[in-house]
Amino acid sequence: MSEKQRVDDTSSPSLEAIELDGAAPVGYHDHDVFGREEDHQIRYKTLSWPLVAVLMIAEIVSNGMLSLPSSLAVVGLVPGLVLIVFLGVFALFTSWLLIKFKLRHPEVHNMGDAGYILMGPFGRELLSFGTIVFAVFATGGQILAGQIALGVLSSNKLCLMLYTGIFAIPTLLFALPRTLDQMSWLSVPSVLCIMVAGIVGMIGAGLNPVDGWQDQFSVVVKTDFVSAFISITNPVFAYAGHFMFFILISEMKRPNDGMKAAYTLQIFATTFYAVFAAVTYIYLGPKVLSPSFSSLPTKWSKAAYGIAIPNFLIAGSLYSHTAAKLLFVRIFRKSEHLHEHTVLGWSVWIFLIVLMNGAAFVLAIGVPIFNYLIGIAASLFASWYTYGIAGAFWLYDTWVYKGGLEGWKRRWVMCGISWLTLAAGAFICVAGMYVTVKQIVNAYDSGVVSKPFSCG
């Protein structure tokens, strides 16, 4: 029997009604990556669903939301809010598909493992590579957000590279815990900070509105395709965190509670995004910047950025932790170094954390178009991890466990939705790439691209 057949055989034969033993599907803990942990020194499966929800919120609701008011400025208040809410509901649906797939395939620890089930060794390498690249770029994005925040707080008195380095050090340190349970307690203040920062930003906008623009207020704004699609990619990437879901569910005490965390995340994120974007746009008008805190008066901008800093730190740490964890589990799967305090295990773990954070730091300060490269990485991978590939998971399981083509025909509604989900991921990927490349060309043509390792 081939390795892929053995992987498939560990799964339950039912798709809609997975047999449960309370906390997880029957046989789940015999096949998942961490196995039975009673006698292990390092226990990974310790997360409760509320802490998973907190981790999800800390990772997803971060600097991405600061681009949402500028999206409303491009397409108008009503289309922008409809888009934010629709994408939030869509992300909840794909969360459900991902978690169902994880419960059926307990051996799946990350997107690479899922790719192996779908496409064999090529799929494993492709989706593993995408996860690491996106996680490193996302870490760099959070480091840049921290750089902006520190620059605003100090009135840009130092070289920007110094701010980046100052912020990169604690980002690395907070990523060092071996288990997500240890990081979850850091995520609680992270979530509180981004909530308070958003509220402070809205209050600052309300007390300091842009005068006169309300006279020309329109609920719908005419625009070109490139500008309009940029306004679409902003909320798409603001929801981009599904690539971590398999890893998070793998460290839960009760994997069956995964959807409770997903519901909490999406309800909070969708509501908070919609309110924050609408209030900020209504008061600051069509010229609101991205990030939107930079459109506030100095004292309000400093207050909002200062409060948000812990969130930028923890989100960056979670991203780099994810990249390191994927490789660490890949190297030491089913070995003592995964579960015991060995010199080799800790040495490799620390090396991977330093490597991921170091790569993010170098990219952030050394690549002048790094912000645009984040957009390319998000278009290539986040479009699939958050939306498109979830449809493939349903189609695969229904084909394998429900009778192939006949199974698809009997469930034609879900089959159609799953194909549309795949098509949506492909559209976001291709159009996002086109828009981002066009932005890069325009940036070079206008001379706004700085030199590598510059202070400007």
Side-chain angles (χ1 to χ4, degrees), residues 429-449:
C429 176
V430 174
M433 282 288 293
Y434 170 78
V435 168
T436 306
V437 170
K438 191 158 183 73
Q439 285 182 300
I440 293 173
V441 172
N442 292 339
Y444 273 105
D445 289 343
S446 61
V448 299
V449 178

Side-chain angles (χ1 to χ4, degrees), residues 246-288:
F246 288 144
I247 291 176
L248 286 165
I249 304 301
S250 294
E251 298 195 27
M252 289 187 70
K253 288 183 291 188
R254 298 176 57 89
N256 289 334
D257 291 338
M259 272 311 297
K260 295 179 182 178
Y263 277 121
T264 304
L265 161 69
Q266 293 302 154
I267 291 171
F268 173 82
T270 304
T271 304
F272 193 60
Y273 283 172
V275 172
F276 177 80
V279 171
T280 305
Y281 168 63
I282 287 170
Y283 284 111
L284 297 183
K287 294 185 178 180
V288 61

Side-chain angles (χ1 to χ4, degrees), residues 63-365:
N63 65 337
M65 79 174 194
L66 302 183
S67 66
L68 298 180
S70 64
S71 292
L72 269 60
V74 174
V75 297
L77 180 65
V78 173
L81 287 179
V82 169
L83 186 64
I84 290 171
V85 173
F86 170 75
L87 289 172
V89 174
F90 193 14
L92 179 61
F93 170 70
T94 56
S95 298
W96 175 73
L97 293 178
L98 262 67
I99 291 171
K100 284 286 187 182
F101 188 81
K102 166 61 180 173
L103 294 178
R104 167 148 332 280
H105 303 276
E107 71 278 9
V108 170
H109 172 259
N110 52 66
M111 280 290 178
D113 293 337
Y116 182 78
I117 291 175
L118 294 181
M119 297 177 284
F122 171 77
R124 176 173 56 195
E125 303 307 328
L126 177 65
L127 296 192
S128 294
F129 174 77
T131 299
I132 294 169
V133 169
F134 183 65
V136 169
F137 275 58
T139 303
Q142 295 295 345
I143 291 174
L144 285 182
Q147 175 206 83
I148 294 171
L150 293 177
V152 169
L153 288 172
S154 64
S155 301
N156 289 311
K157 293 179 179 178
L158 298 176
C159 171
L160 291 183
M161 281 199 300
L162 291 178
Y163 293 127
T164 310
I166 291 169
F167 199 82
I169 294 171
T171 301
L172 184 155
L173 294 175
F174 287 139
L176 281 172
R178 286 271 288 271
T179 68
L180 285 167
D181 181 64
Q182 294 170 304
M183 296 190 70
S184 66
W185 297 104
L186 296 172
S187 297
V188 174
S190 168
V191 172
L192 293 174
C193 284
I194 199 62
M195 286 177 57
V196 174
I199 293 169
V200 168
M202 288 186 283
I203 293 172
L207 294 177
N208 302 275
V210 174
D211 294 330
W213 93 267
Q214 287 83 358
D215 297 335
Q216 293 84 38
F217 177 80
S218 176
V219 295
V220 178
V221 177
K222 292 183 179 179
T223 186
D224 60 90
F225 171 78
V226 173
S227 299
F229 199 80
I230 291 172
S231 72
I232 295 174
T233 57
N234 285 339
V236 165
F237 302 150
Y239 288 115
H242 289 47
F243 74 103
M244 279 187 64
F245 281 14
F246 288 144
I247 291 176
L248 286 165
I249 304 301
S250 294
E251 298 195 27
M252 289 187 70
K253 288 183 291 188
R254 298 176 57 89
N256 289 334
D257 291 338
M259 272 311 297
K260 295 179 182 178
Y263 277 121
T264 304
L265 161 69
Q266 293 302 154
I267 291 171
F268 173 82
T270 304
T271 304
F272 193 60
Y273 283 172
V275 172
F276 177 80
V279 171
T280 305
Y281 168 63
I282 287 170
Y283 284 111
L284 297 183
K287 294 185 178 180
V288 61
L289 300 174
S290 176
S292 59
F293 287 166
S294 296
S295 294
L296 299 171
T298 301
K299 66 178 180 180
W300 287 99
S301 181
K302 288 185 176 183
Y305 274 125
I307 296 169
I309 281 178
N311 174 267
F312 299 158
L313 277 173
I314 299 304
S317 298
L318 284 169
Y319 288 133
S320 60
H321 179 100
T322 298
K325 180 70 70 68
L326 185 153
L327 287 173
F328 187 77
V329 170
R330 178 79 175 269
I331 295 168
F332 291 125
R333 202 166 190 145
K334 296 183 179 179
S335 80
E336 64 171 340
H337 305 293
L338 187 63
H339 290 286
E340 308 299 324
H341 292 294
T342 65
V343 173
L344 179 60
W346 273 106
S347 298
V348 172
W349 175 251
I350 293 171
F351 170 77
L352 290 173
I353 290 293
V354 172
L355 177 65
M356 298 306 160
N357 282 275
F361 171 73
V362 171
L363 287 168
I365 65 170

